[in-house]
Amino acid sequence: MFLAMSRILGTALAPVKHREEKTTLRSVTPRAKTVDVDLAPPTKRVPPKVPEGTPVVPPQDLASRPRRNRRSATVREAFRETILSPSNFIYPIFVHDGDDDIPIDSMPGQTRLGWKSGMVKKVREARAAGVNQVVVFPKTPDNLKSATAEECFNPNGLAQRSISLLKDTFPDLEVYTDVALDPYNTMGHDGMVRSDGVIMNDETVYYLCKQAVSQARAGADVISPSDMMDGRVGAIREALDAEGFTNVAIMSYTAKYNSAYYGPFRDALASAPRPGTEDWSIPKDKAEYQMDPANFRECLREAALDEAEGADIMMVKPAGAYLDIIRALKDNSTLPVSAYQVSGEYSMLKAAAAAGYLNEKDAVLESLIAIKRAGADLTLTYFAIDAAKWLQEM
């Protein structure tokens, strides 16, 4: 038996051994040779020249040369993995209760738009460029602000009037809103501030629900809570459904970081936290409720909660410095992901371009490609109109 098995195994293994003995490594001998002109049709193409002094070397023996797939504009476009489109953009607009458009010094090219005329004109320009989504941010007059921010749900408030006018003028325009108390709060925070400096969560959420419903009544398509209070997505979803607004979507600011990039935005709305007093402590920043820029895993917890509570879209803010967070949300949820290229990102690019350090068009489009490549389905950007026009020219 042993002898028979040995003969069988020997017979079976012999061809393998024979093949191994015959196997040779790929040759590294140079393969360059002179091309016989008789082997190709006549042509008027002139062989390219090389710089004088170029060394004569044999071709490397490479099976794969990735540059072959980048050799021409046609090939590069055919293999492009990430395609920008104006349909990916949401244009943020600042509105105020006046007639004139007021330039925002810290955001060159951006203005506080008069809600009756300038706003409509700017949105018409955006639509002509292919951008049919906007988010409205109202500049609330100081005399209408209060510690509890009741103006946020005034049915005839600036935000509500702006939303209604936009939907009356452009019925198919997708209108997003901002849900938070800071534009209406005398203390400059997204929630009500207790005297010891604590941001009151549940009381704030109660008013956020009233704000969201008032915006839906005005015609908003998507409610966007940016406040970062716990439980607000579920509470807003319940409030909207109770009022019959089951088709109004929620784009939650899921991973909103306590970032240094928000300065110009707060200039535009005069919504920065105010100094406290001896009797009333006001936090100097929003670290108590916005996320720590050092944290990654925390965004997964926020995402799981928002999805469970009924969010339709999840947002990362800011965008450029948080591409890893965009990817994390994309990889861990089936919901669409949006990202906000915030005011500080905008102003940095504008300043560098104005100084001649960068080509504005190229740098902006590259930044937007990076945000989409990371996983964003939608990008809120102040460059929306310019970028859409540049894309049309390409």
Side-chain angles (χ1 to χ4, degrees), residues 295-316:
N295 290 357
F296 173 89
R297 292 182 301 162
E298 189 178 5
C299 80
L300 301 178
R301 182 183 185 188
E302 293 283 0
L305 288 169
D306 283 359
E307 185 165 2
E309 290 177 23
D312 299 286
I313 308 165
M314 295 193 293
M315 186 201 291
V316 176

Side-chain angles (χ1 to χ4, degrees), residues 80 82-84 364-375:
R80 188 161 295 144
T82 305
I83 308 296
L84 274 182
V364 168
L365 291 179
E366 182 177 343
S367 71
L368 294 172
I369 279 284
I371 293 166
K372 186 170 184 182
R373 188 186 64 238

Side-chain angles (χ1 to χ4, degrees), residues 257-310:
Y257 283 83
N258 182 36
S259 172
Y261 289 95
Y262 302 149
F265 177 96
R266 291 171 183 168
D267 289 344
L269 296 185
S271 60
R274 307 295 171 86
T277 65
E278 290 184 4
D279 297 329
W280 214 283
S281 177
I282 301 177
K284 63 181 178 60
D285 60 25
K286 302 185 178 185
E288 183 188 318
Y289 48 97
Q290 294 179 357
M291 288 176 55
D292 187 336
N295 290 357
F296 173 89
R297 292 182 301 162
E298 189 178 5
C299 80
L300 301 178
R301 182 183 185 188
E302 293 283 0
L305 288 169
D306 283 359
E307 185 165 2
E309 290 177 23

Side-chain angles (χ1 to χ4, degrees), residues 40-118:
T43 180
K44 294 181 180 179
R45 296 189 301 274
V46 178
K49 298 178 181 179
V50 299
E52 185 177 349
T54 299
V56 178
V57 299
Q60 298 180 75
D61 190 17
L62 302 178
S64 178
R65 289 179 179 263
R67 287 184 57 187
R68 286 196 284 259
N69 288 347
R70 301 193 289 265
R71 69 185 183 277
S72 72
T74 297
V75 170
R76 290 191 296 273
E77 185 173 357
F79 297 152
R80 188 161 295 144
E81 299 175 33
T82 305
I83 308 296
L84 274 182
S85 167
S87 63
N88 300 132
F89 302 147
I90 301 174
Y91 184 49
I93 55 175
F94 301 107
V95 298
H96 76 108
D97 209 344
D99 296 324
D100 297 331
D101 296 342
I102 304 172
I104 301 168
D105 292 340
S106 57
M107 297 181 69
Q110 300 300 308
T111 58
R112 295 190 192 104
L113 301 166
W115 77 278
K116 289 183 180 179
S117 57

Side-chain angles (χ1 to χ4, degrees), residues 95 136-138 152 156-164 178 184 215 218:
V95 298
V136 178
F137 294 105
C152 75
N156 197 39
L158 175 59
Q160 289 79 0
R161 280 179 278 134
S162 299
I163 295 164
S164 182
D178 177 55
Y184 312 90
Q215 293 173 350

